[in-house]
Amino acid sequence: MSVAFIEERLDSSIKLLLLILIGGGMALVAGFRPSDIDHDYSNYVNLYNSSYDITTEISFVLLSYLVYYVFDNVVFLFLIYAILALSLQILSIRRLTDLCFLSLLVYLSNYYLLHGMNQIRVGVASGFFLFALQYLRTGDRFRYLLCIFCATCFHYTAGILVCCFFF
């Protein structure tokens, strides 16, 4: 992440390539992490292997069915969540700031371990929220609400972000 110190001197195509490589590496680490790294891992595996109830978000149910019938390995569920979360977050960082690598460094040191590695559904929801901020900033409230709806499909608590619509 020392690239953050020289990012102003880098060509935009080099920046994009580095963002893709760093984001891809972070997604692979989060997707293929060991099962004993956090407590939520076993909870997700148990939820994947059991029947779902009304408290389970629709995205988890749909992705679980997809992974079960296509791959039949729960690790791919973690990988899909990691790719979704990091893609949305890195794309959002790129859209919202010129200091991508510095922002990515702050994200990595403060949020990646919590949302990218542990609370994977919240990670995707926060990615949708970051993506929605651009629409809120430009006044495109319909697209903002659409992104918040998608975030809510990944974690119900994201529904509170509708309140930002009124600010």
Side-chain angles (χ1 to χ4, degrees), residues 78-135:
F78 293 109
L79 187 60
I80 289 170
Y81 270 103
I83 290 170
L84 277 172
L86 286 159
S87 298
L88 284 167
Q89 291 163 352
I90 289 174
L91 180 62
S92 300
I93 286 171
R94 189 162 183 254
R95 288 174 56 190
L96 294 171
T97 183
D98 292 330
L99 300 172
C100 298
F101 293 102
L102 184 59
S103 300
L104 193 59
L105 182 61
V106 170
Y107 167 75
L108 179 65
S109 61
N110 289 306
Y111 300 104
Y112 174 68
L113 292 176
L114 180 63
H115 295 299
M117 300 275 292
N118 195 3
Q119 299 172 344
I120 58 176
R121 295 174 300 145
V122 173
V124 177
S126 67
F128 273 112
F129 175 63
L130 283 176
F131 194 78
L133 284 177
Q134 179 71 22
Y135 298 126

Side-chain angles (χ1 to χ4, degrees), residues 1-107:
M1 293 308 296
S2 60
V3 174
F5 296 111
I6 62 166
E7 75 178 286
E8 294 174 342
R9 298 183 206 149
L10 295 176
D11 184 53
S12 61
S13 60
I14 299 292
K15 281 185 185 181
L16 179 61
L17 178 65
L18 285 172
L19 280 172
I20 291 170
L21 289 174
I22 291 169
M26 290 168 62
L28 289 174
V29 168
F32 292 117
R33 68 186 184 274
S35 61
D36 61 348
I37 204 164
D38 62 64
H39 299 291
D40 280 352
Y41 192 97
S42 60
N43 293 338
Y44 285 121
V45 171
N46 290 337
L47 191 57
Y48 172 82
N49 290 324
S50 68
S51 60
Y52 310 103
D53 59 18
I54 194 75
T55 62
T56 307
E57 288 87 355
I58 188 69
S59 66
F60 189 86
V61 174
L62 294 175
L63 287 174
S64 293
Y65 280 134
L66 174 77
V67 168
Y68 180 78
Y69 288 111
V70 175
F71 301 108
D72 195 24
N73 189 339
V74 71
V75 172
F76 287 100
L77 181 67
F78 293 109
L79 187 60
I80 289 170
Y81 270 103
I83 290 170
L84 277 172
L86 286 159
S87 298
L88 284 167
Q89 291 163 352
I90 289 174
L91 180 62
S92 300
I93 286 171
R94 189 162 183 254
R95 288 174 56 190
L96 294 171
T97 183
D98 292 330
L99 300 172
C100 298
F101 293 102
L102 184 59
S103 300
L104 193 59
L105 182 61
V106 170
Y107 167 75

